[in-house]
Amino acid sequence: MSDLLIDAQGLRKEFGPKVAVSDLTLSVQRGEVFGFLGPNGAGKTTSIKMLLSLTAPTAGTAFLLGQPLGHIASRAKVGYLPEHFRFHEWLRADEFLDLHGRLYGMDQRARIEAIARLLKLVGLEERAATKLGAFSKGMLQRIGLAQALLNDPELVFLDEPTSGLDPVGRRLVRDIITELRGRGTAVFLNSHLLSEVEKTCDRVAFIRGGRILQIASLSEFEAEAIQVIVRVDRPTPELLAGLALFGRDVKSGPSDGRILLTMSDPALLPAVARHIIDNGYALYELSPERLSLEDRFLQVVGEVSDE
Amino acid sequence: MSILIISRLTIREAQRRRLLLVALIMGILFLTVFGVGFHYIRRDMLLFPPGEQQENFIYGFLLTAGLYATNLLVTIVAVLISVTTLSGEVESHIIDAIVTKPIHRWEVVLGKWLAFALMVLVYLLLLTVGLMLIVYWQSGFRFENIAYGLVMMTLGALLVLSLSIAGGTRLSTLANGVLSFMLFAVAFLGGLVEQIGGFIRNEAAVNIGIVTSLILPADALWKKALSAFQPRSFSSPMMAGPFAATTEPSTLMIVYSVVYLVALVLFAMWSFTRRDL
Ligand SMILES: Nc1ncnc2c1ncn2[C@@H]1O[C@H](COP(=O)(O)OP(=O)(O)OP(=O)(O)O)[C@@H](O)[C@H]1O
Ligand SMILES: [Mg+2]
């Protein structure tokens, strides 16, 4: 079987005149944690819903675990924590997990084992006999997460899994994702919490207005993560060319003699300073800044104007 | 298999939400009121015995009234318990985590339908058989063709149930409730018009009735049941009124109803499979 767990080609969803997702083309490998980032209304949830056949794409094709969308049997190995994690509130937590275990087609022994293990994992083992109607928002999200992991999935969709969680819960979700990756499970993660995405994801996609703007691995981002601002008395083309030896994307800033360059190795900063001074320029500023994912997000998503 | 998981879940929900308990208590209350009322009417009547034929007529009338109320009640209960089942779970997104499991959406629909059909059937039998036993124990009077008549009543209730489930695949809970009750009301009214039309030999009125029973054959099935229970006194003019029928629906109407029922369930399965959640 192929290691491409998600393989989407040009998925598109229109709601009347509104294009929610215009061209979703991406692939996710086994054991990969894929972050799906974008502002509110960007089309993240709609994308997940198409991949899970909750809504029918207007156009495009996609394969999940090597099977075309809507293939029933392969869903046994797909977990999903919905954005609106509402469940049958008159069920007890353990009954709820048992129901979903049955729907997954697990036999009784597997269910009993998994329910005990997962209740413990999400920190609800003492609330097994509590009705979901008496659960707090964060507890519901935790039990929903347990539900998504019941049948040892190969692929898990988590739509903002930490939106209702306390810091401990967020940490927990991060640890769970890391563990899933270790087991070879692919995770498709929608999130607005970029610091968490930064810690857990292998690759991220930026989406806005239904269009994917960029897909890149986080290590790529890290490699280009230092942006250096250089301010000298008179930036010349020779200086720009000289600085290009130390980094990439050298460009002169908008005003007052600033030069921007992107570097990957902070150890080269003294050499940059020496190069500038040795060539007779007056150096006023040399400030390195690490680009966080949030900076990236604002850069990529913010620079596209709304249409 | 998946169908049965959904059916069990649906029944368990009815149980947890105390639907079954309340329905049972109210059913017993209903039977008690009828039983006590029947007892006193009969006792008064027997002070001056009117003769066997008149007695049987009155027993039949009372039992028909009871069954008529039951038919109405069960129909309303069938709509009430099923009207939110799909639309409500779609609106609350409870359904999202269910239909992304390895289960066909039509299995969800069919599983729910089976559970509600079972509940409706049991409730209908409980009330109708209860009424008949009360009358039989007290007076020895009994209807004919009981099984056949009950099948007709069940068919009518299941039709309305299927209508509300089919509507729930697309409509909001409120719109679906209005649709189901209004269709039932239209069928009921049409049945009344047809009956009066038959009585005064007005063809247009009869045709209105026929058209409405094509829209929803629930009322026609009730009349079919009635004519089965009392084949001889069926067209007695004394029996006119909402409890009776002057025109017996044809057997073709039964075939039509069964086809209608199956079509509604199939439509519900298809429609729910196709919709966006
Ligand atoms: N059922 C629907 N009918 C009409 N428009 C819809 C529907 N569902 C989503 N949309 C529209 O599609 C767009 C994308 O919505 P979506 O829920 O995918 O956003 P999102 O990226 O998940 O946002 P958020 O971060 O707020 O969860 C929005 O403009 C939304 O208004
Ligand atoms: Mg969303």
Side-chain angles (χ1 to χ4, degrees), chain B residues 59-131:
Chain B
Y59 297 148
F61 180 82
L62 289 175
L63 186 52
T64 305
L67 288 181
Y68 176 79
T70 303
N71 189 51
L72 207 63
L73 186 73
V74 171
T75 305
I76 290 171
V77 166
V79 173
L80 284 182
I81 61 176
S82 62
V83 73
T84 72
T85 190
L86 285 171
S87 53
E89 292 189 358
V90 169
E91 283 159 21
S92 68
H93 291 278
I94 285 179
I95 204 77
D96 292 6
I98 303 280
V99 297
T100 44
K101 295 290 180 303
I103 172 175
H104 294 274
R105 287 203 199 167
W106 62 260
E107 291 178 306
V108 175
V109 176
L110 197 59
K112 283 177 181 282
W113 186 88
L114 281 175
F116 288 124
L118 183 70
M119 290 188 241
V120 166
L121 178 69
V122 168
Y123 203 46
L124 184 80
L125 287 183
L126 184 85
L127 294 184
T128 51
V129 172
L131 289 176

Side-chain angles (χ1 to χ4, degrees), chain A residues 55-126:
Chain A
T55 53
T58 313
T61 56
F63 293 85
L64 236 55
L65 312 191
Q67 303 291 341
L69 288 190
H71 186 258
I72 296 291
S74 59
R75 290 188 194 162
K77 285 297 169 191
V78 177
Y80 172 43
L81 172 63
E83 179 179 40
H84 307 274
F85 39 91
R86 285 275 311 272
F87 310 112
H88 297 101
E89 57 188 29
W90 43 272
L91 283 175
R92 301 174 2 173
D94 52 357
E95 292 170 339
F96 165 75
L97 292 181
D98 190 65
L99 165 71
H100 285 268
R102 281 174 195 271
L103 289 172
Y104 270 128
M106 300 163 70
D107 63 27
Q108 191 180 10
R109 264 189 38 211
R111 290 201 304 272
I112 291 174
E113 183 278 320
I115 290 169
R117 175 169 51 83
L118 287 166
L119 279 174
K120 194 155 180 300
L121 181 69
V122 299
L124 290 172
E125 70 263 54
E126 260 139 48

Side-chain angles (χ1 to χ4, degrees), chain A residues 45 83 159-160:
Chain A
T45 298
E83 179 179 40
D159 199 345
E160 301 188 30

